[in-house]
Amino acid sequence: MINSRLLKVEIELNNTLRVYENLAITVEGVKEDSQKQNEFNITITNVSREIREAILQDVYATQKSPKKRKILVYAGRLKSGYSLVFAGDIQNATPSSPPNIDISFKCLTGNDVKFDIVAKSGGATKSLKDIAESVAKSTSKRLIFEAINKTIGSYTYTGSALKEVQKLAEVGKVNAYIEDDKLIVKEKSKALKNTAFLVSYKSGLLKAEPTEKGVKVKIYFNPNINVGSEIILESDLNKPLNGSWIVNKIAYNLQNRDSSFFMELEATKGA
């Protein structure tokens, strides 16, 4: 099973693209359906000293240019190929102490627009979708709009482009969040359309347990499940938890040279 894993990191720093997939890679991070920036920590082992120093130099050189600090993580299996796990921006890079030759990256979604200031005024009324399209443009994201398109009166906003996602959620009374290269806007009690996936022992279920708000599910990595997805839980050991759930949070623990290749889902019931 370990040999069938695929894990790849693409780093674009100061207009230089570097791709890593044959070295030892560890990826840990969390995504959730809120305005909080998703944070991932990525470690690549046995990078040559010359390349490591070049990366650290590029990180230093782009301190004031967050748009030039892109990082992408892909994972999968040999049979199915790669799928995108994370797209974000490098906040910092740290080398390891000898004898290891590691370099670790702390990465966040939306960091490239966090300090961009926007000023908007929508006139007397504006549709929620029009506002969402404007926010997607300001944050350089692709809009996925699955909310009821209501009319919003006297919409104005001045501040961080990233913080406008929170304003969008508040005025529309919707679930609005950035995931990788997408701005997702949907009803709070609804899963994203056409995302239902059966989670059972046959599809990689390892553990299911109740929480105060719903359920926590540990599974092998599966690219079919994302934040906002619907899962149909089918547990043989904890049958009272079986049924439909909406995924609100995913914690990833992925390694291509060790035993971890898991996702932990937190989910709640929809309407």
Side-chain angles (χ1 to χ4, degrees):
M1 289 290 286
I2 289 179
N3 292 333
S4 72
R5 299 173 186 175
L6 297 175
L7 200 52
K8 177 170 68 174
V9 178
E10 294 183 356
I11 300 168
E12 187 173 353
L13 273 168
N14 212 13
N15 301 318
T16 298
L17 178 66
R18 299 179 176 93
V19 181
Y20 300 98
E21 55 185 322
N22 295 321
L23 299 177
I25 299 170
T26 298
V27 175
E28 295 179 340
V30 175
K31 294 181 179 180
E32 52 188 297
D33 64 348
S34 72
Q35 292 78 54
K36 183 179 178 181
Q37 289 176 271
N38 294 332
E39 181 178 328
F40 270 59
N41 292 291
I42 301 158
T43 299
I44 305 173
T45 301
N46 291 328
V47 178
S48 71
R49 184 180 301 276
E50 292 77 14
I51 295 296
R52 185 173 65 166
E53 289 177 354
I55 290 173
L56 292 171
Q57 179 59 41
D58 282 344
V59 169
Y60 177 78
T62 55
Q63 283 185 98
K64 297 182 179 180
S65 304
K67 297 182 191 302
K68 294 184 177 182
R69 291 175 153 210
K70 299 297 180 185
I71 192 163
L72 301 172
V73 176
Y74 298 88
R77 301 278 185 183
L78 286 174
K79 287 185 178 180
S80 56
Y82 283 112
S83 296
L84 180 67
V85 172
F86 175 78
D89 310 294
I90 296 170
Q91 186 179 47
N92 58 54
T94 307
S96 65
S97 301
N100 295 326
I101 309 177
D102 299 347
I103 186 165
S104 298
F105 302 91
K106 179 180 178 180
C107 314
L108 297 165
T109 50
N111 232 39
D112 57 337
V113 296
K114 186 175 182 178
F115 300 106
D116 289 357
I117 302 300
V118 297
K120 300 177 183 179
S121 177
T125 61
K126 200 167 187 177
S127 76
L128 180 63
K129 187 173 183 180
D130 284 345
I131 296 171
E133 287 174 344
S134 176
V135 175
K137 183 177 180 180
S138 298
T139 55
S140 301
K141 303 302 177 188
R142 175 168 55 92
L143 177 64
I144 305 296
F145 188 88
E146 295 188 7
I148 297 171
N149 190 20
K150 61 196 76 170
T151 298
I152 307 298
S154 303
Y155 179 82
T156 60
Y157 176 79
T158 300
S160 162
L162 185 60
K163 287 290 186 182
E164 193 181 8
V165 178
Q166 181 176 341
K167 173 81 169 183
L168 172 64
E170 291 171 353
V171 299
K173 295 180 174 58
V174 292
N175 204 187
Y177 56 96
I178 288 175
E179 183 185 19
D180 302 324
D181 59 345
K182 304 180 292 294
L183 170 64
I184 297 174
V185 183
K186 68 177 188 66
E187 296 299 308
K188 295 179 180 179
S189 59
K190 302 290 185 182
L192 290 167
K193 296 176 182 177
N194 303 316
T195 59
F197 186 82
L198 179 64
V199 175
S200 66
Y201 292 101
K202 289 183 179 180
S203 62
L205 174 64
L206 297 167
K207 182 172 65 174
E209 57 188 19
T211 66
E212 287 186 8
K213 296 182 179 180
V215 66
K216 179 181 283 188
V217 177
K218 185 175 182 178
I219 61 169
Y220 286 114
F221 171 76
N222 193 308
N224 296 297
I225 301 171
N226 295 287
V227 173
S229 293
E230 177 187 7
I231 58 170
I232 312 299
L233 183 60
E234 193 175 272
S235 170
D236 294 335
L237 298 179
N238 212 335
K239 291 186 177 182
L241 300 178
N242 289 349
S244 174
W245 300 87
I246 301 173
V247 178
N248 310 118
K249 183 176 180 179
I250 303 177
Y252 294 86
N253 190 332
L254 307 174
Q255 298 178 351
N256 60 353
R257 301 288 175 85
D258 209 334
S259 59
S260 295
F261 210 64
F262 308 122
M263 301 161 60
E264 282 196 342
L265 321 176
E266 293 184 22
T268 56
K269 283 291 186 183

